[in-house]
């Protein structure tokens, strides 16, 4: 989980200086999972289970920005992005709120350790100095809103790593769903053009302020230049038309039907549901990465840009 910590710290370091208006003490950013009649997914086939997953206002999606999911049932939501559906019109648009929490060191703790180091360096602590102050942390939460995700015709994704802690318009991007047009193309022909947006600087937002991230993107651009004119990095092809996938839904583990597809940038696991083709897993796994490999930045981008949905709640 070390790289996951790096990712979360990049997000927090980028936004801490912007003021506390983006933070909440209790982390509440939207309604709780709604509806008196949760979806009945017991004793149904994976295909049927996928079809019965319907989002309503208040439905929640939990995901981790990592390629390794350690504990689906953990109550500790540090590093877990919790997405709450605010509006949802299947195959047309979605609005959502999200929050991401981290146990960050307090300013008093940082100052105490700095003062201790200074006193130690200036020999102000005597011959038998007291132990260094322990690190004190507190839970902090970044929140944001993404409106008007295009679930109708968009071929552009807007990855969660790039969502700013603010209220933003999706600007023609589909977010973490396939649009209806792309889903139909995938089902009918086995391929479609999907722009992952991993190297699109217009989407970086506050992530672009990180030196580590900026250097990694430069390496990615070098690798893209090396394949220019040879292959289409955005042509996304189905690799497994029918597959089963474990997923926690409304507190229980069920098996759903998914589609697996990939392009030059990486791989996707997509819920096989025309009204809700949610991308359950995105793995950054480019096919040729000389610059990224030599610099060691492939691991960083893999952990930043990859994500996996760990559970759905409030599904009807």
């Amino acid at each position: 989980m070390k790289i996951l910590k790096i990712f979360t710290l990049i997000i927090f370091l980028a936004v801490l200086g912007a003021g506390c208006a983006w933070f909440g003490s209790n982390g509440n950013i939207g309604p709780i999972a709604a509806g008196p009649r949760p979806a009945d997914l017991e004793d149904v086939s994976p295909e049927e289970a996928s079809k019965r997953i319907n989002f309503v206002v208040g439905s929640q999606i939990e995901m981790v920005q990592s390629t390794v999911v350690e504990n689906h049932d953990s109550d500790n939501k540090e590093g877990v992005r919790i997405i709450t559906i605010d509006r949802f019109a299947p195959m047309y648009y979605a609005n959502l709120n999200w929050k991401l929490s981290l146990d960050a060191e307090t300013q008093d703790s940082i100052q105490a350790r700095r003062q201790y180091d200074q006193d130690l360096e200036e020999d102000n602590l005597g011959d038998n100095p007291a132990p260094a102050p322990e690190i004190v942390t507190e839970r902090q939460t970044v929140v944001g809103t993404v409106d008007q995700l295009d679930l109708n015709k968009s071929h552009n994704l807007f990855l969660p790593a790039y969502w700013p802690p603010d209220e933003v318009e999706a600007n023609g991007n589909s977010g973490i769903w396939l649009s209806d047009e792309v889903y139909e193309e995938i089902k009918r022909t086995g391929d479609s053009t999907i722009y992952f947006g991993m190297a699109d600087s217009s989407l970086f937002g506050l992530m672009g302020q990180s030196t580590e991230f900026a250097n990694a993107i430069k390496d990615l651009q070098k690798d893209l230049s090396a394949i220019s004119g040879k292959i289409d990095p955005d042509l996304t092809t189905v690799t497994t038309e029918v597959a089963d996938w474990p997923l926690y839904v409304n507190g229980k583990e069920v098996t759903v039907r998914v589609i697996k597809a990939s392009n030059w940038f990486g791989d996707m696991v997509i819920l096989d549901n025309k009204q809700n083709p949610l991308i359950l897993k995105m793995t950054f796994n480019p096919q040729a990465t000389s610059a990224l490999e030599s610099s060691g930045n492939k691991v960083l981008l893999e952990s930043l840009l990859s994500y996996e949905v760990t559970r759905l709640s409030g599904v009807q």
Side-chain angles (χ1 to χ4, degrees), residues 26-215:
N26 57 15
N28 292 331
I29 61 170
I32 60 173
R37 293 162 48 185
D40 181 8
L41 304 180
E42 291 189 16
D43 300 321
V44 299
S45 68
E47 182 179 11
E48 182 63 25
S50 293
K51 291 179 180 178
R52 293 189 186 186
I53 292 178
N54 298 304
F55 286 151
V56 296
V57 173
S59 297
Q60 291 191 329
I61 303 166
E62 293 186 17
M63 66 168 58
V64 292
Q65 221 81 17
S66 174
T67 56
V68 179
V69 180
E70 293 191 343
N71 188 354
H72 293 279
D73 289 322
S74 175
D75 291 329
N76 181 3
K77 300 301 182 182
E78 183 185 11
V80 177
R81 190 186 297 267
I82 301 176
I83 299 166
T84 303
I85 304 297
D86 186 48
R87 299 181 69 188
F88 190 72
M91 302 179 290
Y92 288 97
Y93 69 87
N95 294 353
L96 54 86
N97 301 317
W98 62 269
K99 66 179 180 179
L100 178 64
S101 299
L102 173 72
D103 290 336
E105 186 175 8
T106 66
Q107 289 300 311
D108 286 345
S109 176
I110 293 173
Q111 182 58 40
R113 292 192 301 107
R114 286 176 177 170
Q115 185 63 53
Y116 179 88
D117 291 341
Q118 180 179 339
D119 289 343
L120 189 63
E121 183 178 351
E122 295 175 356
D123 198 21
N124 293 331
L125 299 177
D127 295 333
N128 297 301
E134 294 186 1
I135 295 176
V136 179
T137 63
E138 63 181 2
R139 181 62 56 94
Q140 298 184 18
T141 301
V142 182
V143 303
T145 299
V146 184
D147 289 335
Q148 295 299 319
L149 290 163
D150 180 6
L151 307 187
N152 186 222
K153 294 182 177 297
S154 178
H155 287 245
N156 303 292
L157 303 181
F158 185 13
L159 297 180
Y162 297 156
W163 294 353
D166 203 347
E167 183 173 352
V168 296
E169 296 285 335
N171 294 323
N173 296 292
S174 64
I176 55 175
W177 287 270
L178 297 189
S179 69
D180 185 55
E181 181 171 289
V182 172
Y183 177 82
E184 287 296 329
E185 289 181 2
I186 286 285
K187 294 288 286 186
R188 185 176 66 253
T189 69
D191 60 52
S192 182
T193 299
I194 303 178
Y195 302 99
F196 283 15
M198 292 178 174
D200 184 352
S201 60
S202 68
L203 299 177
F204 293 167
L206 294 169
M207 286 290 291
Q209 298 179 12
S210 163
T211 301
E212 294 87 350
F213 175 77
N215 290 337

Side-chain angles (χ1 to χ4, degrees), residues 229-305:
K230 300 176 183 177
I231 65 173
D232 181 353
D234 304 306
L235 179 62
T236 306
T237 304
V238 171
T239 56
T240 306
E241 187 173 356
V242 175
D244 293 343
W245 191 260
L247 181 65
Y248 276 80
V249 182
N250 293 345
K252 298 180 180 180
E253 184 173 5
V254 299
T255 302
V256 297
R257 180 62 50 83
V258 299
I259 303 165
K260 296 183 179 181
S262 65
N263 63 19
W264 183 88
F265 288 97
D267 309 307
M268 293 186 295
V269 176
I270 306 151
L271 184 68
D272 192 1
N273 178 327
K274 177 176 172 57
Q275 293 196 343
N276 184 25
L278 182 67
I279 302 171
L280 297 175
K281 186 173 183 177
M282 169 75 73
T283 304
F284 176 74
N285 185 30
Q287 298 172 18
T289 55
S290 299
L292 281 170
E293 291 282 5
S294 61
S295 66
N297 282 326
K298 182 180 179 182
V299 175
L300 175 64
L301 285 187
E302 181 179 349
S303 296
L304 295 180
L305 302 177

